[in-house]
Amino acid sequence: MTVDPQGPVLVEGPVEIVLDDGTVARSDRFVVAVCTCRRSRTYPWCDTSHRPRERASSPPEDRNPR
């Protein structure tokens, strides 16, 4: 298991997680990213929602058109 303070917990799979309501989430992947911020739309799996989003800026205007 690898813990990233700014992101998910990486766990070698296969993985079974028992959720608060008692349901079990399973993954057979080699490595699983488990969400720790609860922002993920695919909770308990991480979808990188913890990453800060930057707006795409428009290209700078050419002030010396040719």
Side-chain angles (χ1 to χ4, degrees):
M1 180 177 351
T2 304
V3 178
D4 180 350
Q6 301 300 317
V9 174
L10 300 178
V11 182
E12 290 184 24
V15 174
E16 288 188 357
I17 296 177
V18 180
L19 302 173
D20 293 338
D21 65 0
T23 59
V24 177
R26 292 183 176 88
S27 176
D28 293 327
R29 297 185 76 169
F30 178 70
V31 174
V32 179
V34 179
C35 176
T36 58
C37 71
R38 292 197 172 243
R39 291 183 221 158
S40 175
R41 290 186 199 126
T42 59
Y43 187 82
W45 317 121
C46 178
D47 68 0
T48 68
S49 292
H50 61 275
R51 293 183 184 165
R53 303 288 185 220
E54 293 183 18
R55 292 185 182 193
S57 60
S58 57
E61 292 182 29
D62 187 1
R63 299 196 182 219
N64 296 320
R66 295 180 189 164

